[in-house]
């Protein structure tokens, strides 16, 4: 039976809704869902990271200003659509860009500016911990940041009382609870899949490693408590309600679900948390996640082992760069169009240029590009320089130009996925795409299918993204029946009847992508020279 406007109004008034707020790299989005888990109101706030003292960061002021603005726009949307002032919500969840470094002293003061996932400044720590644990520790993981700070001799380390991630910080300030979802927790410190908690052997190894520094703390004292999807993670306090809703309309006492990273919420939003399923989230950064049937044969520095929000093992390939350079070129075409006196619709411009790429040569006509706005750990770059290269023999036209920039957006990702799919023989029945790269119908899917030589699907809900994903986790906590798994809840209560489009890989495109990757790999020395000489 169809949901009516009166049904929605009743759900809002009676608090049978769920709210998800996700702090992405460029946008803080709030999504309110009704009893059928369909979005009924939303709001967003645009923001950008800052590069301060060689650190990519966001200030606490910007964090709270953005959350409050996003929430107010969502509440305003509720008021405009339904004539109701939002006073209560059934459950709330927070998500954010994964991992990074936020540390606080015993007075709850932030000791150093937030160090985001985008920083590639922990190479030595990453290498040493990977060797110590025999488990890949990526540079962006929280434990790598902490150990690098120790190796650097940074004075603040001795004063740390609590370490968390961005969404863990927001959740803490709103509820008083120092907790984290298991998916995000597995990127703070390695998790034992059997216990769904931090790996105790590695905890002991790390404490032994830093024993000579004589800190007053041990690593288990600093980390937030791990929770799995469906568990209650605390309640909105009176102070938290005022912090979230500056108008004072929102009442305290609302339950919150475990805070999760954008990787976990992307899995939920695409219903890809069961074994042999996977998803690709492609925006400012890009990452692919495949739920494994068994552990990999050995550690790989290109592959992160994390978990779903329910604690199942996931192989992740994460790359710092995806669409930033591509978007910059699209904006250049916008400037040209405006200079010629044309009025530009950005959706039309993106669609025109993306579709033009499908007319190009399968191998991009011999063109080469690197989209490294920042460092890229998979190809061992601490810094990056966006770069476009061609020879006099290259077929330089608009179609190939756009095609090569779409290809290179997935170049580093393919390096990691080839290890999983070709070397480890990981089986995946379907990859679901979401994020800005897939917004133009069919194009991102076709390029992605060529990169992985596997079908790629995009659901009609793909644009909702991680904010919807964390809203679904809040809804699951609120509405699940006894012993109902998250997999069953998503399949039966959320995605039943939802449609999407599937694109099969084209053999010629697959061959063309492989040819491009040969140039991409061989040409990394050119990118290295650009980094060295373009200061």
């Amino acid at each position: 039976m169809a949901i009516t406007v009166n049904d929605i109004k009743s759900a809002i008034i009676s608090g049978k809704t769920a709210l998800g707020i996700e702090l992405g790299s460029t946008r803080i989005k709030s999504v309110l869902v009704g009893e059928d888990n369909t979005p009924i109101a939303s709001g967003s706030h645009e923001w950008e990271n800052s590069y301060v003292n060689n650190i990519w960061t966001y200030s606490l002021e910007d964090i709270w200003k953005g959350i409050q603005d996003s929430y107010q726009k969502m509440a305003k949307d509720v008021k405009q659509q339904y004539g109701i002032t939002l006073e209560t919500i059934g459950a709330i969840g927070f998500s954010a860009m994964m991992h990074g470094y936020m540390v606080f002293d015993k007075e709850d003061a932030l000791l150093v500016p937030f160090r985001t996932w985008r920083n590639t400044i922990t190479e030595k720590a990453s290498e040493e911990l990977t060797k110590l644990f025999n488990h890949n520790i990526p540079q962006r993981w929280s434990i790598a940041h902490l150990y690098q700070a120790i190796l650097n001799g940074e004075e603040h380390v001795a004063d740390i009382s609590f370490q968390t991630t961005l969404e863990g910080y927001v959740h803490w300030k709103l509820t008083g609870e120092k907790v984290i979802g298991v998916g995000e927790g597995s990127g703070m410190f390695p998790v034992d899949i059997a216990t769904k908690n931090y790996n105790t052997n590695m905890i002991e190894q790390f404490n032994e490693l830093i024993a000579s520094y004589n800190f007053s703390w041990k690593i288990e004292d600093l980390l937030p408590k791990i929770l799995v999807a469906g568990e209650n993670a605390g309640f909105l306090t009176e102070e938290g309600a005022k912090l979230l809703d500056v108008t004072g309309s929102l009442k305290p006492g609302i339950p919150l679900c475990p805070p999760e990273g954008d990787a976990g919420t992307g899995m939920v939003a695409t219903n890809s948390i069961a074994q042999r399923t996977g998803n690709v989230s492609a925006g400012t950064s890009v990452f692919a996640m495949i739920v494994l049937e068994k552990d990999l044969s050995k550690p790989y520095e290109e592959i992160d082992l994390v978990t779903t929000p329910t604690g199942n093992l996931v192989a992740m390939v994460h790359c710092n760069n995806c669409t930033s350079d591509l978007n910059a070129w699209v904006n250049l075409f916008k400037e040209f169009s405006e200079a010629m006196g044309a009025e530009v619709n950005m959706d039309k411009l993106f669609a025109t240029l993306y579709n033009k790429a499908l007319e190009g040569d399968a191998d991009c006509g011999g063109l080469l590009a690197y989209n490294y706005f920042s460092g890229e750990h998979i190809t061992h770059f601490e810094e990056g320089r966006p770069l476009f290269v061609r020879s006099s023999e290259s077929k330089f036209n608009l179609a190939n130009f756009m095609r090569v920039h779409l290809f290179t957006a997935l170049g580093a990702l393919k390096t990691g996925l080839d290890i999983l799919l070709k070397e480890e023989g990981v089986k995946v029945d379907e990859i679901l795409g979401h994020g800005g790269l897939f917004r133009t119908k069919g194009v991102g899917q076709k390029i992605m299918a060529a990169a992985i030589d596997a079908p790629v699907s995009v659901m009609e809900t793909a644009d909702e993204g991680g904010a919807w994903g964390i809203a679904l986790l809040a809804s699951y906590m609120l509405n699940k029946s006894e012993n109902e798994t998250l997999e069953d809840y998503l399949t039966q209560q959320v995605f039943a009847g939802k449609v999407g489009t599937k694109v099969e890989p084209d053999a010629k495109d697959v061959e063309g992508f492989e040819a491009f990757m040969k140039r991409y790999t061989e040409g990394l020395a050119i990118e290295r020279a650009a980094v060295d000489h373009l200061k």
Side-chain angles (χ1 to χ4, degrees):
M1 190 171 68
I3 300 293
T4 68
V5 172
N6 284 336
D7 292 333
I8 294 173
K9 288 181 178 180
S10 176
I12 294 170
I13 293 169
S14 59
K16 293 181 179 178
T17 56
L19 172 66
I21 299 180
E22 181 163 278
L23 292 86
S25 299
T26 60
R27 182 174 64 163
I28 301 174
K29 186 172 182 180
S30 300
V31 171
L32 187 71
V33 301
E35 290 183 273
D36 64 347
N37 293 304
T38 299
I40 57 175
S42 65
S44 67
H45 172 87
E46 306 295 320
W47 71 336
E48 283 289 346
N49 53 195
S50 302
Y51 195 58
V52 181
N53 297 324
N54 298 316
I55 297 290
W56 292 105
T57 188
Y58 299 84
S59 70
L60 295 185
E61 180 183 359
D62 285 345
I63 290 168
W64 289 111
K65 177 183 175 183
I67 291 171
Q68 291 163 354
D69 184 51
S70 179
Y71 177 87
Q72 282 304 312
K73 287 175 178 173
M74 179 278 302
K76 183 178 180 181
D77 192 23
V78 171
K79 182 71 172 179
Q80 289 179 337
Q81 285 196 74
Y82 311 110
I84 299 169
T85 299
L86 194 59
E87 296 182 354
T88 189
I89 299 165
I92 302 175
F94 282 89
S95 173
M97 59 194 86
M98 63 187 82
H99 320 327
Y101 188 67
M102 295 190 85
V103 288
F104 301 83
D105 65 17
K106 62 183 180 181
E107 305 298 329
D108 296 342
L110 185 67
L111 288 167
V112 292
F114 169 38
R115 298 172 183 177
T116 78
W117 59 271
R118 198 171 190 175
N119 292 287
T120 50
I121 55 176
T122 65
E123 184 174 14
K124 183 173 175 58
S126 173
E127 290 176 353
E128 290 190 15
L129 292 176
T130 295
K131 185 176 180 180
L132 176 69
F133 296 150
N134 193 32
H135 183 102
N136 184 39
I137 304 296
Q139 288 199 48
R140 71 183 181 282
W141 279 23
S142 303
I143 192 60
H145 278 281
L146 175 62
Y147 187 47
Q148 189 66 53
I150 292 171
L151 294 176
N152 294 346
E154 297 184 41
E155 292 181 1
H156 77 270
V157 175
D159 298 323
I160 298 175
S161 176
F162 177 48
Q163 179 177 8
T164 190
T165 64
L166 179 54
E167 72 274 22
Y169 160 72
V170 173
H171 184 98
W172 169 41
K173 289 300 178 183
L174 296 181
T175 65
E177 300 291 339
K178 296 179 178 180
V179 298
I180 201 74
V182 65
E184 179 72 329
S186 66
M188 292 194 70
F189 193 94
V191 161
D192 184 333
I193 299 301
T195 64
K196 303 189 190 309
N197 210 334
Y198 301 117
N199 187 299
T200 54
N201 290 335
M202 294 180 190
I203 289 279
E204 291 177 9
Q205 288 177 302
F206 185 79
N207 284 331
E208 290 174 9
L209 178 67
I210 65 170
S212 62
Y213 291 93
N214 295 314
F215 296 125
S216 62
W217 50 261
K218 294 186 181 299
I219 184 61
E220 62 267 32
D221 301 328
L222 306 186
L223 296 171
K225 178 183 177 182
I226 282 185
L227 298 174
V228 298
E231 290 189 276
N232 181 285
F235 298 88
L236 187 68
T237 63
E238 190 170 338
E239 296 78 9
K242 292 176 181 176
L243 189 57
L244 179 58
D245 180 5
V246 294
T247 69
S249 299
L250 189 65
K251 297 175 182 177
I254 297 168
L256 272 73
C257 70
E260 270 293 356
D262 53 3
T265 58
M267 298 177 78
V268 172
T270 54
N271 193 22
S272 50
I273 63 169
Q275 290 179 344
R276 294 175 65 112
T277 64
N279 79 96
V280 173
S281 174
T284 304
S285 66
V286 59
F287 54 86
M289 305 187 72
I290 298 176
V291 187
L292 301 178
E293 296 177 282
K294 61 180 181 179
D295 203 348
L296 301 181
S297 64
K298 62 180 182 179
Y300 295 91
E301 63 179 333
E302 299 89 352
I303 310 295
D304 309 351
L305 290 177
V306 291
T307 79
T308 67
T310 55
N312 292 327
L313 188 63
V314 173
M316 171 194 269
V317 181
H318 180 278
C319 306
N320 288 348
N321 302 282
C322 187
T323 59
S324 293
D325 190 41
L326 187 57
N327 293 344
W329 282 112
V330 173
N331 282 325
L332 189 71
F333 286 113
K334 172 178 177 284
E335 282 189 45
F336 169 75
S337 300
E338 290 174 341
M340 293 293 291
E343 191 172 320
V344 180
N345 177 290
M346 289 304 291
D347 287 338
K348 184 179 180 181
L349 181 60
F350 269 100
T352 300
L353 292 173
Y354 273 40
N355 278 288
K356 192 69 180 176
L358 300 184
E359 301 173 15
D361 296 300
D363 70 344
C364 309
L367 303 182
L368 179 62
Y370 295 96
N371 63 334
Y372 296 1
F373 255 60
S374 58
E376 192 56 77
H377 66 97
I378 281 189
T379 48
H380 310 289
F381 283 83
E382 287 194 15
E383 295 180 66
R385 301 290 183 272
L387 192 65
F388 170 65
V389 183
R390 65 187 176 100
S391 72
S392 56
E393 289 79 30
S394 300
K395 297 178 182 178
F396 184 42
N397 54 45
L398 180 60
N400 283 335
F401 181 81
M402 290 307 302
R403 189 175 183 88
V404 78
H405 283 91
L406 282 164
F407 272 34
T408 200
L410 301 174
L413 183 75
K414 180 170 171 58
T415 302
L417 284 176
D418 279 354
I419 294 171
L420 286 176
L421 302 177
K422 295 179 181 179
E423 295 183 31
E424 285 284 335
V426 169
K427 303 299 182 186
V428 58
D429 296 327
E430 187 176 26
I431 290 283
L432 290 105
H434 63 114
L437 188 72
F438 299 103
R439 188 171 178 180
T440 298
K441 188 174 182 179
V443 178
Q445 278 176 272
K446 190 172 177 63
I447 301 297
M448 188 72 226
I452 63 174
D453 193 14
V456 176
S457 297
V458 173
M459 302 297 291
E460 62 183 9
T461 53
D463 283 347
E464 303 299 343
W468 184 51
I470 191 65
L472 294 179
L473 287 172
S475 174
Y476 171 64
M477 179 194 71
L478 183 69
N479 298 312
K480 65 179 172 47
S481 58
E482 189 176 359
N483 299 323
E484 185 176 22
T485 66
L486 178 60
E487 290 92 333
D488 288 343
Y489 184 79
L490 292 176
T491 300
Q492 297 167 13
Q493 306 298 331
V494 180
F495 288 95
K498 296 288 192 298
V499 297
T501 58
K502 179 186 286 189
V503 171
E504 299 284 345
D506 178 273
K508 190 174 180 181
D509 287 341
V510 173
E511 184 180 344
F513 210 115
E514 293 294 343
F516 163 77
M517 284 303 296
K518 188 172 186 295
R519 286 198 307 278
Y520 182 93
T521 303
E522 293 174 349
L524 285 170
I526 303 171
E527 172 68 14
R528 181 72 63 192
V531 171
D532 291 341
H533 294 289
L534 296 175
K535 297 297 183 182

